[in-house]
Each structure stands twice: as C-alpha cells, then as structure tokens.
Amino acid sequence: MTQHLAAPSAGTSTDAPGHRTGWWQDAVIYQVYPRSFADGNGDGMGDLAGVRGRLPYLRDLGVDAVWLSPFYASPQADAGYDVADYRAIDPMFGTLLDADALIRDAHDLGLRIIVDLVPNHSSDQHEWFKRALAEGPGSALRDRYHFRPGKGADGELPPNDWESIFGGPAWTRTTDPDGTPGDWYLHLFAPEQPDFNWEHPAVADEFRSILRFWLDMGVDGFRVDVAHGLVKAEGLPDLGSHDQLKLLGTSDGVLPFFDQDGVHEIYRSWRTILDEYPGDRIAVAEAWTPTVERTANYVRPDEMHQAFNFQYMATSWDAKALREVIDTSLNAMRPVGAPTTWVLSNHDVTRHATRFANPPGLGTQIRTAGDRELGLRRARAATLLMLSLPGSAYVYQGEELGLPDVTDLPDEARQDPSFFRAEGQDGFRDGCRVPIPWTREGSSYGFGEGGSWLPQPAGWGELSVEAQTGAAGSTLELYRAAIAARRVHPGLGAGTAVEWLDAPEGLLILARPGFVCTVNTTGSAVRIPVRGTVLLSSAPVTTDGAEIEIPADTTVWWTV
C-alpha cells in the first residue's frame, strides 16, 4: 500500500454541521489529461511515466492536487472513458507499477492524486458485457446493463426515444449467437459505452470494491464521471422530444436519464467507504444539473465533497452575469457546508482563452479562433477573479500557459468520437486536447521524442514552459504568483462569502478579509480610487496618487 499524506490539522467547520475542514475546502486542483501532458516512452502518446517526470513542475506551480483523466485498460473508443478493466492500466499509459510510483512520488512532493472513476457505463469490451452478448438472451449478466426488446412487429425499433449525447439513438441492437437480430442495449454516449444498470446489486458491489482497490493504492480521491447519470427513471419512459440535447442545463430540463434522486443513495454508500480511510479522501461530482441548487444535492454532508460548477464555467465575460453566478453558487453551497468550486476549462470544452476571444452566447464548444489577444487578456483576468473566490479552483493543463484551443485541426487528424456522429455534441473537443508544449524547440516541443498524437500548431514553442519560465509578465508566472499568494494570504482560499463593494458599470469589486479584487470587464480603461497596495494584476496598471488606471479586461488584487 502506498504511504499516504498525513491528514491536515483537524478543525471544525463553522459553515454547517457534518463537514470538517479539510484540504479540499480551498485546494487548487490541476487536471492532467494523460495522453496530452507528457510522453515518457517516445511513442507520441502521453503516459504515466511522463506525468511522473513532470510532477516537480506541478509542485513548483503551487497546486495542491493532481486529477488524472482515465488511464484504465480501454479500447479508447472515447479516450479512455470506455473502461474495459477498472483495476488495470492501459498499456499505452504504462502499468500498475507506474501508477504506484506516480502516487508515491506525488505524495513525496506534497501533492495529492485524484483519479477519474467512470461508473455510468463500461466499455463494450468489459468482460461482463462481452459475456452478456456471447451467452445471448437469458444471460444473467444482461441484467447488469439495460437490455430491452425493441418495439415494432419484429423488434426493429428502439425501446424508447432517448437520444445519445454523442448523437443518434441511445440504443443499439444486438445480434444473438445464432445470427438473428436480438435485443437492444442502452448507451447514453457512444455505442461502445453500454450503461450499467445500477438497480442490480452486483454493479453496486463491484464499484465499492473498485473504490477500495484504488484507495488501498493510495489515491486521495475520485472525480466521478457522469455522476448525474447512474440512475434512470423507472420503466425508462419516452421523453417525447427529439431535441433532447437542448434540454441539458435548462431549468425545466427534467430528463429521465439524468439527475434522478436515486443517485444520492449510491454516493452516501461511497462516503462511508471514503471516511474509513485516513488523510481526507474525497469524491468530486461531474454533475450536469439544471441549477446550482440541484448540484448542491450531490455535496450534502453525507455525500460527495465537491461538485464541478459548470454554471460558472459557462458564464460570459460580463460583470453582471459573473456577479449573479458567483452569488448563486455561494448561496447554494452554503446550506450544505460544501466548498464552492470554480473552473474555467477542462478536457470537454473549448479553452477559455478562445471562448473569451469570441462574442458571448456561443456556448462552451466554439469552432473559431476569435481575437487571440483579447482572449488571452480576458483569460488572465478571469483567472485572478477565479482564484480570489472562496472555495476550490480547478486548473486544466496548459491554461497556465495561456494556450488557445487549436481550432484548425484537419478533419483527418480528429479523434473525438462525437465528431463522427451526426446531431450530437459539436465533436471539436480535440482542440483542447492537443499536447502541451514544454520547450521552445525539439520533437513535439518537449512533449516527447516520438512526435505528438495530435498535430501541434506552429509557434507552440513560444507558449512553452521553457519560454515562459522566468519571463516577466508571462501567463505562467502570473499563475505561479497568484497561487503562491492564495496559499499564504489569510483572506484567500476557504470561506463561504464575498462582500460586494460599489463599482461603476462593467466593474466588479469584491472584498474578503484584508483583500480586495477589482475586475474591469469592459473594453476600455477605467480610473477608480486606489483600494490599498497592489498585490498582483493581470496586466500592467498605472497609479497616480489616489487613483489607479485599470486597463480593459484586467483584474487587480489588493491587500488592505
């Protein structure tokens, strides 16, 4: 068993009963997408050895924990989110010994490790599913998934009208062992990702065992993929709409396959397991819900510890909208005693340096590069706003370099499965998954010696870690300074509230103990009274006696 980090000094949360203070309350957590972070063996694909070799960089960046996207044995139909064996490492990423060494090294450096868990569905190459198909109708293993007879005279129509998130029907028909058409099985995502039936006790038993396997390996927590999708409405009723994707994220988007109340019993059982282990192990929900208030249900004191704040991530660069979502988020989490989380980018959305480079209202998957200079300026300002807020912040690999999305990948290079399916997600997630640059020159800009599984843009080297390290004003040094200040300033980090101060239109001014954050979201410079001593700013500012000039799209931190 891997030696685990010592638990932080005990304390008692004053926010709500049932929640202790813990490292996750104000953690900065860095997401690593392993295939695109660093390549240790030179085959063009990132791996665990590559991640392990770059852990000192993450320590120096100042983050508290590293979240690893899936590295399990998988046919890679959806970049590892189709798991064939939850207790094995895919050979492209290494071995269990590599995972153990990575966890040990991370702990030695003071970093915690969070791993992805994919409980909504398995790969169609999972042993259970393969046997269910091979054994045919009547196989007991079919009850662990959602197999149903089709509608129509010969069962030629899907069992209901549900649509896949990746496009097309959420059902695929099987062929029985004798070669005749058989039942259908449910997959809310790709056909290679059959959904588990969480009403079956064997599924619940298996995942409790999987939790213990990785906790015994020493991991510090789990990011739970599609946490809102495990339980389906009884009887799998028709939705009656053929525009189901548009209902996601809407306040009235009650879907029979998402955010069903039954998921919470599952997470309460998981919490009892997490609490058995030392060192404050945590669970983080990826839960797409209609409202922040619904998200809060996942982090009640006896369930998970954190939930991603997708409403914040999807908010435009607008002072009024940002203040509203910040208030709503803090108000929703306060009654359950959970920290609010803040995130700007991840492996499924266009990087925020590109989203903010485009007009508002285009969503979180954008196909155009927009105004690169504008996008970077706003991204830097948004980062300082995010890191000033009470709670926990997530950083997606490469955002600390100011990387834009790669919007001009040729079609033949794309690997996002939804790109190849009509009427699903936009299918342009590859743009945020291009391997990050470490050096100005060399094979794949230091990613590895064997090239890069996705083509990197020309000029990528000037955004590299090497180019930005020690460079005054670089985005990397801004992140390092901000995270370092956040770690030591008593007014930053954990907490449940901010105080809004009067501000001109288009500006946000929020106060915390001994600290003020001023955000100019307008396209013009503004002059306002000095608030204290400038601690950090996302762009150079000019102070003239009692006033300061804040450039367009700039955030300033003050100590007061």
Side-chain angles (χ1 to χ4, degrees), residues 78-395:
D78 184 24
Y81 283 93
D82 50 317
V83 181
D85 188 340
Y86 290 84
R87 298 177 182 83
I89 308 297
D90 194 279
M92 75 162 58
F93 297 126
T95 66
L96 278 173
L97 290 177
D98 292 319
D100 182 73
L102 189 158
I103 295 168
R104 289 177 181 274
D105 283 3
H107 288 170
D108 288 343
L109 292 170
L111 296 167
R112 288 178 163 86
I113 294 292
I114 297 170
V115 298
D116 237 304
L117 188 66
V118 188
N120 179 70
H121 49 261
S122 74
S123 165
D124 61 355
Q125 298 304 302
H126 190 285
E127 188 61 30
W128 286 0
F129 193 77
K130 289 197 300 182
R131 286 179 52 196
L133 290 182
E135 293 174 5
S139 170
L141 287 167
R142 293 196 171 202
D143 293 337
R144 302 181 186 188
Y145 295 91
H146 294 279
F147 281 84
R148 295 289 188 279
K151 295 181 178 179
D154 299 309
E156 71 277 9
L157 300 176
N160 68 21
D161 65 0
W162 294 2
E163 298 170 1
S164 164
I165 304 304
F166 286 169
W171 296 89
T172 290
R173 195 171 194 183
T174 64
T175 300
D176 286 339
D178 63 3
T180 60
D183 287 341
W184 299 68
Y185 68 88
L186 176 68
H187 53 86
L188 291 181
F189 296 89
E192 297 88 352
Q193 296 169 291
D195 280 42
F196 283 117
N197 175 17
W198 272 87
E199 301 297 328
H200 196 290
V203 175
D205 288 346
E206 171 68 355
F207 274 89
R208 283 192 289 265
S209 174
I210 292 167
L211 288 175
R212 291 187 184 280
F213 178 87
W214 288 103
L215 290 167
D216 289 342
M217 282 277 288
V219 303
D220 299 277
F222 303 90
R223 176 265 191 188
V224 182
D225 185 64
V226 195
H228 54 298
L230 276 57
V231 173
K232 280 66 174 177
E234 185 176 358
L236 310 184
D238 282 338
L239 188 56
S241 168
H242 294 288
D243 226 357
Q244 296 172 22
L245 291 178
K246 291 184 178 180
L247 294 177
L248 296 177
T250 62
S251 60
D252 59 348
V254 179
L255 300 172
F257 45 79
F258 279 165
D259 197 30
Q260 296 291 306
D261 290 339
V263 299
H264 300 290
E265 181 180 349
I266 296 168
Y267 300 133
R268 282 190 285 271
S269 72
W270 288 10
R271 182 61 179 260
T272 62
I273 294 173
L274 292 166
D275 287 347
E276 293 173 7
Y277 284 78
D280 289 324
R281 319 292 180 98
I282 71 167
V284 182
E286 184 214 25
W288 289 89
T289 66
T291 65
V292 178
E293 290 78 11
R294 292 288 298 182
T295 303
N297 291 336
Y298 291 77
V299 288
R300 288 175 286 198
D302 60 347
E303 294 190 42
M304 299 203 208
H305 300 75
Q306 290 184 351
F308 287 119
N309 189 344
F310 293 116
Q311 286 81 2
Y312 181 76
M313 184 179 68
T315 302
S316 299
W317 183 242
D318 174 83
K320 181 179 179 181
L322 287 165
R323 177 170 174 170
E324 181 177 347
V325 75
I326 290 168
D327 282 342
T328 300
S329 300
L330 291 170
N331 290 339
M333 296 298 157
R334 194 177 296 117
V336 295
T340 307
T341 64
W342 314 101
V343 59
L344 292 169
S345 289
N346 65 32
H347 64 291
D348 280 333
V349 301
T350 301
R351 289 183 178 275
H352 61 280
T354 296
R355 297 203 314 274
F356 292 150
N358 282 274
L362 298 181
T364 57
Q365 289 189 338
I366 299 174
R367 305 182 186 187
T368 56
D371 184 335
R372 163 69 178 147
E373 182 180 346
L374 174 65
L376 179 59
R377 188 167 70 242
R378 289 177 170 175
R380 289 164 58 97
T383 293
L384 288 194
L385 171 59
M386 175 182 76
L387 292 175
S388 74
L389 298 172
S392 182
Y394 282 78
V395 174

Side-chain angles (χ1 to χ4, degrees), residues 4 178 473 508 511:
H4 200 273
D178 63 3
L508 294 172

